Amino acid sequence: MTVLLNDLMIGESPRWHDDRLWFCHWGAHEIIAVGLDGDSEVVVRDPEISPHSIDWLPDGRLLIVPKNAEPKGRLLRQEPDGSLVGHADLSGLPSGFNEIVVDGRGNVYVNGADFDFLAFLERLQSEGPDAMNVPLRDRPDFVPGYIALITPDGTARQVADGIEFPNGMVVTPDNGTLIISESFAGRLTAFDIAADGSLSNRRVWANGLGPDGICLDADGAIWTSIGETDCVRVREGGEVLQRIELDRSPFACMLGGPDRRTLFIMAARWNPADPFGGPRTGQVLAVPAPVPGVGRP
């Protein structure tokens, strides 16, 4: 395993694009791109929006989900001149966007919930250890999430609901299946994708995990997280095929490199007292992968 970058706050939403790994640097309000040699560049720094997650349209324009949605909008598009503009009319969708993935047909999927995650954690901590014995989905202050679709013509609509804290998503190479992390449920959930982008045939893909950001390989296995410090490669049904033990939490992972055989892991020690302003424990780790990445992102 190689430490590609050190001294970060929290790295999230890693994407392999144009021969570099791009990711959002939470707490520093940045998007960083780094090569396999460790040479990095801050490509966006904007405290006003604070980039939260990213992906690209087929024409190469960058989409950004901002942590701070106002005043520019909840989903931003970077134009060729570098300016940021609102992408599509999202007025009919719930608030609180989190993760994003663009499929091979140019459909944009975003997920989220009208839910203040940090305030929720503060309440849990104030209630003491017994609060964790109640399933999070059964708490009256928990708000389930959704998946929304934005088609290439700019039409936006909700296509799934009842997601127990939606997180990372992947789309299979045939654009036929979307898999999402339900972090509070500890599972990966799959949907069939119709020709118009709609989702159906909801089913459990794997249980017993702690999924956040995820990626897919050519054997149909998914890299995700489990427990506090382990990154695992799991097949549909939940069998763990490979395990990488870390000394801090894996927030997200991505298969990249010239042949997509390098697994990049965004790792950091979670600091609930000050998640985005505490010690800089964030790292970008790189380790050879047994099977190349496929699908999107």
Side-chain angles (χ1 to χ4, degrees):
M1 187 181 297
T2 301
V3 179
L4 201 62
L5 284 180
N6 225 328
D7 194 36
L8 302 172
M9 302 298 292
I10 295 177
E12 259 285 11
S13 192
R15 306 286 189 258
W16 184 256
H17 178 77
D18 281 349
D19 299 322
R20 294 191 294 178
L21 182 77
W22 298 55
F23 64 93
C24 294
H25 187 194
W26 288 6
H29 317 294
E30 297 172 338
I31 299 172
I32 294 176
V34 59
L36 289 174
D37 58 0
D39 186 22
S40 65
E41 173 192 7
V42 176
V43 293
V44 174
R45 179 184 288 117
D46 192 333
E48 185 179 43
I49 65 167
S50 191
H52 191 79
S53 58
I54 55 174
D55 208 352
W56 280 263
L57 291 168
D59 63 11
R61 288 180 294 175
L62 175 66
L63 294 178
I64 301 173
V65 174
K67 185 174 185 291
N68 303 321
E70 299 299 335
K72 296 181 179 179
R74 289 186 286 155
L75 180 59
L76 306 178
R77 185 180 69 243
Q78 187 178 53
E79 296 295 85
D81 64 1
S83 62
L84 295 176
V85 300
H87 182 74
D89 178 7
L90 310 177
S91 58
L93 297 179
S95 61
F97 288 175
N98 184 25
E99 267 284 4
I100 182 172
V101 66
V102 182
D103 73 7
R105 294 174 291 200
N107 289 320
V108 179
Y109 292 93
V110 290
N111 66 43
D114 189 8
F115 178 68
D116 188 332
F117 174 63
L118 294 181
F120 183 79
L121 289 183
E122 288 178 4
R123 288 195 295 273
L124 282 180
Q125 292 162 4
S126 68
E127 293 170 13
D130 289 343
M132 294 304 297
N133 295 328
V134 178
L136 299 178
R137 63 180 177 273
D138 293 340
R139 290 179 56 98
D141 54 348
F142 173 64
V143 180
Y146 60 87
I147 305 173
L149 165 68
I150 305 163
T151 56
D153 65 3
T155 302
R157 67 184 191 276
Q158 185 172 309
V159 289
D161 59 14
I163 308 293
E164 295 184 30
F165 199 83
N167 237 312
M169 297 181 288
V170 296
V171 175
T172 53
D174 63 357
N175 296 310
T177 304
L178 182 145
I179 302 168
I180 183 172
S181 297
E182 292 196 75
S183 294
F184 280 6
R187 67 174 171 247
L188 296 171
T189 297
F191 295 86
D192 291 343
I193 303 175
D196 66 353
S198 299
L199 303 180
S200 63
N201 189 26
R202 179 174 182 164
R203 59 200 180 274
V204 174
W205 197 91
N207 260 322
L209 304 168
D212 194 331
I214 59 177
C215 59
L216 178 72
D217 71 24
D219 281 354
I222 284 179
W223 284 97
T224 185
S225 50
I226 189 171
E228 294 291 327
T229 57
D230 288 3
C231 184
V232 294
R233 179 173 174 254
V234 60
R235 74 165 81 240
E236 185 173 5
E239 179 187 358
V240 174
L241 305 173
Q242 188 170 349
R243 182 184 298 264
I244 300 173
E245 297 180 0
L246 308 174
D247 65 353
R248 60 202 70 194
S249 298
F251 280 77
C253 47
M254 174 54 52
L255 288 160
D259 53 6
R260 294 196 69 178
R261 284 185 176 269
T262 300
L263 178 69
F264 298 98
I265 305 172
M266 318 303 296
R269 293 188 177 95
W270 176 250
N271 176 28
D274 190 3
F276 309 120
R280 297 176 72 98
T281 63
Q283 296 178 326
V284 179
L285 307 173
V287 61
V291 180
V294 296
R296 295 168 185 268

